[in-house]
Amino acid sequence: MGTYQQTVVDLEATGEEAAALGEHAGRWLETEGFIRPVPWRGEVVHLAGPRWREAVDLVPWDWRARIKDLEQEPGGPFEIVAGRTVFHSSLSESPAAVCPHCRNTDPTWPGEAVDTWYATGSADLDCPACARRAPLAHWDWTGDSLALAHLGFRFDDWPPLHPDFIVALGRTLGHRIRVFACKI
């Protein structure tokens, strides 16, 4: 079994603004009815709200799409991930870094730079093709499989998020975003 996770990652939020921006987007999601707060074990978790169906793309084979007035919602919680995080999709191999300047792909895993970024929030990487240096967080990764960022929105066991919903969340954030999906 496992949990199917989709994470919408803000690629531009800084460490300083991540918590406030996450709260802002969380309030928007709640106000729009996509999520709702639920008290649980002395804390509050966020589950699907009354408009959750508008946030997802229910494909015909999904059993929830075949039952017209089904009240059951996605099974998992929603979580705001604010703080230095290496977000990823399901990875079978180490992704290759893609230079933001020349778009060259470097298959050498920059483990030391990733560790430095995770520990300090800052690390640079040199491109072996064009010899230009760029902050590690500005590099892309093959297959859009990795992002070093400070803010993400995780949906556990929700159907695939609808592209229009993803665009609306990106507009609310005012930043470039990327969606990562994986099964854990």
Side-chain angles (χ1 to χ4, degrees):
M1 285 291 271
T3 299
Y4 173 64
Q5 286 185 339
Q6 298 170 90
T7 307
V8 179
V9 176
D10 184 323
L11 299 172
E12 298 174 348
T14 65
E16 293 77 28
E17 69 183 343
L21 192 55
E23 286 179 26
H24 166 72
R27 281 191 304 276
W28 175 80
L29 289 164
E30 190 175 329
T31 300
E32 291 296 316
F34 297 120
I35 62 170
R36 73 181 196 285
V38 176
W40 190 66
R41 294 186 180 179
E43 294 184 23
V44 174
V45 297
H46 288 86
L47 300 177
R51 292 183 55 206
W52 71 268
R53 284 177 175 268
E54 296 173 44
V56 300
D57 194 8
L58 285 175
V59 292
W61 53 261
D62 189 317
W63 63 271
R64 290 170 286 218
R66 292 191 300 264
I67 303 172
K68 199 169 199 91
D69 294 320
L70 178 69
E71 294 296 322
Q72 186 167 347
E73 59 199 34
F78 162 82
E79 177 185 6
I80 297 171
V81 181
R84 201 173 305 130
T85 306
V86 178
F87 294 97
H88 61 86
S89 59
S90 298
L91 300 174
S92 56
E93 299 176 13
S94 294
V98 180
C99 176
H101 301 294
C102 71
R103 308 306 298 165
N104 178 66
T105 302
D106 182 4
T108 308
W109 175 247
E112 187 175 315
V114 171
D115 290 345
T116 299
W117 179 88
Y118 192 74
T120 68
S122 178
D124 291 335
L125 193 59
D126 295 315
C127 176
C130 71
R132 292 176 71 186
R133 191 171 185 82
L136 184 62
H138 293 179
W139 286 65
D140 288 325
W141 303 87
T142 53
D144 282 339
S145 56
L146 192 74
L148 290 83
H150 298 276
L151 181 60
F153 302 88
R154 185 171 293 140
F155 298 82
D156 284 355
D157 285 332
W158 283 47
L161 298 174
H162 194 281
D164 292 343
F165 169 75
I166 295 167
V167 168
L169 180 53
R171 266 195 312 267
T172 299
L173 294 166
H175 292 153
R176 288 181 312 117
I177 59 171
R178 182 168 297 140
V179 179
F180 293 92
C182 67
K183 188 161 188 163
I184 58 169

